[in-house]
Amino acid sequence: MADQVELFYAPQTRATGVRVLLEELDAPYKLNVLNFKLGENRRSDYLAINPAGKVPALRCGNAVITEQVAIYLYLADLFPEKGLTPSLEDARRGPYLRWFVHMASCFEPALVDRALKREEPPQTMSPYGSFETVMENMRAQLAKGPYVLGDEMTAVDVLWAMGLRWGMAFGLVPEFDEFTAYTERYFSRPAPVKVLQEDQNMVKEQEDAAIHAGVA
């Protein structure tokens, strides 16, 4: 591949899952780490890449990709030989896309409403129906096999493992047996083990830098 993949990153954020995916893909990449405590995500040079000042953001050649679902899809398609994305001819391609979009359009909005203790909108207006429906849909899907699409892991598993683990850690997602077994299985893999450990070290380094700068 001619163009280098550059990931704009902060530890223990949504960008963590993207880095895990890059490790699962065994893809070469440059890590551009931002220290949020020092406001590096609000600098003009980064806002020119992502005006929202959020991570992850990905740069590959002249292409800049934001929004985590778009980045996951882009990377998995960029390295199809790694086998983490079903081809267009594969019957799993549609469900694969479905569960990516379900995370962004249903799971995350439902979690935000629950976290902020907001009343759910009427189901006729809600993008996700109801919190219970979202959770039960994923619970039923994971009951079918060890991974989201069955017996084989794909890129969508990185996204869902990260999301479910985070949600359960904060008491927002119910600890269904299907969820705990799935996340325990996924987080025993080398890629997440490596990245999560390095994230812990990175957080400590950034905290020390913030203290040294007098902004902690």
Side-chain angles (χ1 to χ4, degrees):
M1 186 181 63
D3 294 325
Q4 182 182 48
V5 171
E6 181 179 9
L7 175 62
F8 294 88
Y9 190 80
Q12 297 181 352
T13 66
R14 285 182 176 86
T16 298
V18 175
R19 189 179 178 202
V20 171
L21 177 58
L22 283 163
E23 292 290 334
E24 291 280 13
L25 292 166
D26 194 26
Y29 64 95
K30 176 184 177 182
L31 196 63
N32 192 328
V33 180
L34 304 175
N35 189 332
F36 280 23
K37 292 182 180 295
L38 297 180
E40 292 176 349
N41 59 310
R42 304 307 304 176
R43 295 185 319 203
S44 59
D45 56 345
Y46 185 64
L47 293 177
I49 294 166
N50 185 356
K54 295 183 177 183
V55 292
L58 195 78
R59 183 160 58 193
C60 185
N62 293 324
V64 173
I65 306 98
T66 64
E67 315 314 319
Q68 66 171 348
V69 167
I71 293 172
Y72 276 77
L73 291 168
Y74 181 87
L75 287 174
D77 285 345
L78 196 61
F79 299 95
E81 70 279 4
K82 303 301 182 179
L84 294 186
T85 179
S87 69
L88 290 175
E89 293 76 25
D90 192 319
R92 299 175 302 158
R93 181 70 182 189
Y96 171 79
L97 297 175
R98 170 197 178 188
W99 290 111
F100 266 119
V101 175
H102 192 70
M103 168 65 78
S105 65
C106 297
F107 182 83
E108 288 202 342
L111 254 62
V112 169
D113 282 351
R114 180 59 57 97
L116 296 178
K117 297 181 171 56
R118 294 193 297 219
E119 183 178 352
E120 291 184 3
Q123 290 203 25
T124 55
M125 298 177 62
S126 172
Y128 58 84
S130 72
F131 181 88
E132 287 73 21
T133 298
V134 172
M135 298 303 140
E136 288 296 338
N137 281 347
M138 179 46 66
R139 183 184 190 182
Q141 186 68 15
L142 291 177
K144 298 177 184 178
Y147 297 107
V148 173
L149 299 184
D151 293 332
E152 295 182 14
M153 194 194 87
T154 64
V156 78
D157 288 294
V158 183
L159 182 70
W160 275 99
M162 297 297 297
L164 290 172
R165 183 178 186 269
W166 182 90
M168 288 189 290
F170 284 91
L172 299 173
V173 170
E175 295 188 15
F176 294 141
D177 289 345
E178 293 85 353
F179 292 174
T180 57
Y182 174 70
T183 54
E184 287 171 6
R185 182 184 309 113
Y186 182 73
F187 282 96
S188 67
R189 293 176 62 85
V193 168
K194 172 188 175 180
V195 172
L196 293 185
Q197 181 58 58
E198 292 185 2
D199 260 20
Q200 289 183 3
N201 298 337
M202 206 178 292
V203 166
K204 179 64 168 60
E205 292 171 0
Q206 293 193 342
E207 288 175 346
D208 290 346
I211 291 171
H212 183 73
V215 297

